Amino acid sequence: SQQGEEDPQALSIQEGENATMNCSYKTSINNLQWYRQNSGRGLVHLILIRSNEREKHSGRLRVTLDTSKKSSSLLITASRAADTASYFCASRGSSASKIIFGSGTRLSIRP
Amino acid sequence: NAGVTQTPKFQVLKTGQSMTLQCAQDMNHEYMSWYRQDPGMGLRLIHYSVGAGITDQGEVPNGYNVSRSTTEDFPLRLLSAAPSQTSVYFCASSYFGLAGDSNEQFFGPGTRLTVL
């Protein structure tokens, strides 16, 4: 099974609202990353948070990490139509070099 | 820089055929990996490599072989194609630091494989 599970599986919000996606993982990690995938395209890296960090910002993105709960969240503020995509978390374990992806959240922004 | 390139973009195979999916990167990245993505699903790790001559299995390695003879190339071989291997295959690369820095993965455009 995958290292990360994401919640919700699908999210539909109105343009301008905030979108929050959650990711849980199973083993201790070195870092956790978030990626975006537009339909039928490759993945694009959004942000990386290390295990010793609790929060990180990049533009309209805010990522939090709670290692005690083995979970992370991605917040997209003031959503736009162009944010419509699938979002995936990916974690690199602290004792392994491989990077494992979660199941993803499909985000739809309604105009 | 071309980044991560994959060939072919599309491929149709018959059950039992073998083929190699090519992946190359020009960023001098140590870490390279192969994922498969089934419709509406996330990415599952097939094999990965932390440097030339070093490969390891991911989550779903059965039916696939890899080799890493150079830093730049990481081909994925399907030994005897099965319909269950119909998927989109993505290759990715990144720097690999023990401190966990610079692990941003750069992805290729993908290979869409259909096995009949």
Side-chain angles (χ1 to χ4, degrees), chain B residues 13 16-21 36 46-47 57 59-66 76-82 84-85 89 113 115:
Chain B
L13 292 178
Q17 287 185 315
S18 62
M19 79 159 294
T20 299
L21 307 185
R36 61 176 287 176
I46 305 172
H47 286 285
Q57 295 182 347
E59 303 171 280
V60 289
N62 292 343
Y64 307 94
N65 270 359
V66 291
L76 177 73
R77 280 182 286 278
L78 278 71
L79 308 173
S80 177
S84 60
Q85 293 179 304
Y89 291 83
L113 176 68
V115 182

Side-chain angles (χ1 to χ4, degrees), chain A:
Chain A
S1 62
Q2 289 175 304
Q3 164 83 326
E5 296 298 326
E6 293 181 61
D7 163 59
Q9 289 188 332
L11 179 62
S12 179
I13 61 173
Q14 204 77 28
E15 194 168 13
E17 293 181 336
N18 296 342
T20 299
M21 289 158 269
N22 303 297
C23 167
S24 61
Y25 55 90
K26 296 179 181 176
T27 62
S28 58
I29 60 170
N30 186 296
N31 65 60
L32 188 138
Q33 305 164 46
W34 285 89
Y35 290 81
R36 186 180 81 186
Q37 183 181 36
N38 290 90
S39 180
R41 308 290 292 273
L43 279 79
V44 175
H45 181 265
L46 295 175
I47 195 165
L48 179 152
I49 187 165
R50 299 186 184 89
S51 59
N52 61 353
E53 297 175 313
R54 292 298 167 257
E55 187 171 311
K56 204 161 182 180
H57 296 256
S58 176
R60 293 185 296 114
L61 305 180
R62 172 179 169 253
V63 169
T64 61
L65 179 65
D66 186 335
T67 53
S68 67
K69 295 181 180 177
K70 290 188 171 61
S71 67
S72 174
S73 67
L74 171 67
L75 168 68
I76 303 174
T77 60
S79 62
R80 305 168 182 169
D83 294 329
T84 293
S86 291
Y87 291 81
F88 296 92
C89 66
S91 57
R92 180 186 160 194
S94 56
S95 59
S97 49
K98 57 189 175 185
I99 299 172
I100 302 294
F101 276 76
S103 50
T105 293
R106 290 187 308 279
L107 176 64
S108 299
I109 309 298
R110 303 189 303 271

